[in-house]
Amino acid sequence: MPANTDQTETIAAPAGLPGVDRLLQDARLSDLAARAGRSCVVEAARTVLDDARARLLEGGRVDPDGLAERVVAHVAAAAAPSLRPVLNLTGTVIHTNLGRSALPEPVIEAMAEAARQPVDLEYDLLAGRRGSREGRLEARIRSLTGADAATAVNNNAAAVMLVLNTLANRRAVPVSRGELVEIGGSFRLPDIMRRAGARLVEVGTTNRTHLRDYEEAMAARPALVLKAHTSNYSVIGFTKAVPERELADLCRRRGIPFCIDLGSGTLIDLERFHLPHEPTVQEALAGGAELVTFSGDKLLGGPQAGVIAGRADLIERIKKNPMHRAFRLDKLRIAALDATLALYGQPEQLAETVPTLRWLARPLPDIRAVAERVTVHLEPVAPDGWQVEVTDCFSQIGSGALPAEALPSVAVRLTPQAGRRKMGKRAAGRVLRDIAAAFRALPVPAIGRVGEGAFWLDMRCLETPETLLGQIDSLAWPSPP
Ligand SMILES: *Cc1c(COP(=O)(O)O)cnc(C)c1O
């Protein structure tokens, strides 16, 4: 253990630390205990003293006058919610790691209202007795999609699991080899199928599947045929997939339900916003699917949920599965999904009302204007060796939707410049990781993206730059080597 020489500022040995009781006599801590209760202050004091002791044993230094302040900070941190708002400047609009869709304001209000007080969640106000928990959601989904019936559960993975377990437990389910998807976050279709009790029958090849491949699979007497929207990749080149309508016809002739896992599931044609076409729930149903499953927090722009829409008798069986109870929505998300679906009753307003759609449909000049404002502020404070500029880039929708389609966008690009010596690849990699970390360390962390020898802040999802601009002065710039 290195010797401690500076006796005025540090305590030489663990024995020199105050005990919990003495520490609590500090006026700041007795005030805090009066406001927040004694137990959390005692708890924090123990933690701070334990840390100090460990530091001293390792030969480090501890300032005894700073202990009370550390306890105060500890209590404040423990009392604050630990989920932190961040700025999504990654260019991926529906970012699973950043919580996917931001909710529309009326949806947030509906959730808060349901959170605050009792609601008629499962209560019939006219009859004065127990009512339907799902009636209101089902009515909205039916009217928006044209489906005969519908139900909503915890997420789309649960929806797929429920469909398979209800209709295909211990039975065969043919799926094209080109559609055996893995979605980030451990949704792998073959694993879900196994856990649901369904027996996967692989059909066709990775790049080509023909109708006759499905016809052959009928020998296994399948319980249903599942088509999964290949949402996070595309197979290009020498490919063939069976058109949904042909597959639906085959299934109808054989009396087998045809189910489509749409994944993203949009209720409106994205071409309305000059975005590439993504199959809608209505199209899937009109094309002959008897059940369609989709997420609530991807292109729908609402809360996490999984919707199952389609044939009434199949939905009825699904609702009776005990798993349906295990996957059910709570009042907060029923309120949120209900309010989200209500917005779809005014489709012309969606590009305003639903943030996910607003960001996807955002006009390029708006994005550029924000990029320019940020650059004007960032440029003058950037240390020598950093180039800051407005640059065209591409965003992506994210969460699996339209993988191959990039959306033109505008970024603020920060490029480290080689100094007297040419910067090596590794040194450049390090300084880029450091600048990314510095933006993440801001009070409201800004999450960008490193690539092509630069750090990119895509401005698509930043509607007002004030939060970012207000904290630029506290940015800890790394200096390029
Ligand atoms: C995203 C996705 C899922 C999983 O949906 P969650 O709502 O995240 O559970 C399942 N299937 C497909 C095709 C998807 O794109």
Side-chain angles (χ1 to χ4, degrees), residues 101-108 268 273 300-302 339-359 361 463:
S101 286
L103 297 180
E105 279 309 319
V107 173
I108 296 167
I268 44 155
F273 307 130
L300 197 69
T340 303
L341 293 169
L343 295 173
Y344 280 80
Q346 296 171 9
E348 293 83 2
Q349 311 306 316
L350 287 167
E352 274 304 311
T353 51
V354 175
T356 298
L357 297 175
R358 189 165 70 230
W359 294 337
E463 294 187 313

Side-chain angles (χ1 to χ4, degrees), residues 100 155-157 183 187 229 231 261-264 295 297-298 305:
R100 291 196 184 161
N155 56 15
N156 187 37
I183 315 288
F187 177 97
H229 187 47
S231 49
D261 173 19
L262 270 185
S264 238
S295 292
D297 56 351
K298 292 183 180 174

Side-chain angles (χ1 to χ4, degrees), residues 44-355:
R46 286 212 181 97
T47 308
V48 166
L49 287 172
D50 285 350
D51 287 353
R53 203 164 293 127
R55 175 120 28 106
L56 288 176
L57 286 172
E58 281 167 10
R61 296 175 169 202
V62 170
D63 171 12
D65 294 336
L67 290 172
E69 217 39 68
R70 302 242 310 269
V71 175
V72 171
H74 222 273
V75 169
S82 66
L83 213 52
R84 292 176 59 192
V86 301
L87 303 174
N88 175 8
L89 310 182
T90 60
T92 301
V93 176
I94 307 171
H95 199 303
T96 297
N97 305 148
L98 303 181
R100 291 196 184 161
S101 286
L103 297 180
E105 279 309 319
V107 173
I108 296 167
E109 279 163 32
M111 258 180 123
E113 198 66 352
R116 197 171 289 126
Q117 61 212 330
V119 287
D120 64 339
L121 175 69
E122 200 175 307
Y123 189 79
D124 184 334
L125 288 171
L126 275 181
R129 55 177 146 77
R130 184 176 172 188
S132 157
R133 190 181 177 92
E134 284 202 273
R136 71 193 77 230
L137 289 182
E138 179 161 26
R140 289 210 194 269
I141 298 165
R142 285 177 52 191
S143 90
L144 288 168
T145 65
D148 290 336
T151 184
V153 289
N154 187 54
N155 56 15
N156 187 37
V160 174
M161 185 110 187
L162 202 45
V163 167
L164 290 166
N165 181 262
T166 308
L167 306 179
N169 193 14
R170 298 178 205 197
R171 307 265 314 267
V173 175
V175 183
S176 165
R177 285 198 171 89
E179 296 168 7
L180 291 172
V181 294
E182 170 176 318
I183 315 288
S186 69
F187 177 97
R188 304 179 100 186
L189 194 52
D191 295 343
I192 295 271
M193 292 182 71
R194 197 174 317 115
R195 286 291 173 154
R199 185 158 51 80
L200 168 64
V201 177
E202 296 185 20
V203 175
T205 61
T206 304
N207 56 331
R208 290 175 72 84
T209 300
H210 305 268
L211 191 62
R212 62 169 188 274
D213 296 324
Y214 280 103
E215 279 167 344
E216 278 167 25
M218 294 297 160
R221 301 170 45 82
L224 59 87
V225 169
L226 180 64
K227 190 170 172 64
H229 187 47
T230 56
S231 49
N232 54 356
Y233 66 98
S234 52
V235 183
I236 53 171
F238 184 55
T239 64
K240 169 146 176 51
V242 179
E244 271 160 30
R245 191 168 289 278
E246 283 179 33
L247 198 47
D249 285 346
L250 171 67
C251 290
R252 193 173 311 107
R253 285 200 305 276
R254 305 286 181 125
I256 296 166
F258 175 43
C259 306
I260 302 183
D261 173 19
L262 270 185
S264 238
T266 170
L267 295 177
I268 44 155
D269 188 347
L270 295 184
E271 283 176 36
R272 186 195 273 271
F273 307 130
H274 310 291
L275 293 168
H277 186 77
E278 168 86 5
T280 66
V281 177
Q282 297 89 317
E283 284 166 4
L285 290 167
E290 292 188 307
L291 286 179
V292 176
T293 60
F294 58 98
S295 292
D297 56 351
K298 292 183 180 174
L299 284 173
L300 197 69
Q304 178 186 296
V307 177
I308 312 172
R311 225 171 82 189
D313 61 318
L314 301 178
I315 297 286
E316 202 48 47
R317 284 172 62 192
I318 286 167
K319 285 183 182 173
K320 290 199 177 115
N321 187 334
M323 262 189 194
H324 184 268
R325 170 65 180 79
F327 292 153
R328 83 175 180 190
L329 298 177
D330 72 314
K331 67 168 179 174
L332 297 186
R333 275 188 297 154
I334 287 178
L337 189 55
D338 179 50
T340 303
L341 293 169
L343 295 173
Y344 280 80
Q346 296 171 9
E348 293 83 2
Q349 311 306 316
L350 287 167
E352 274 304 311
T353 51
V354 175

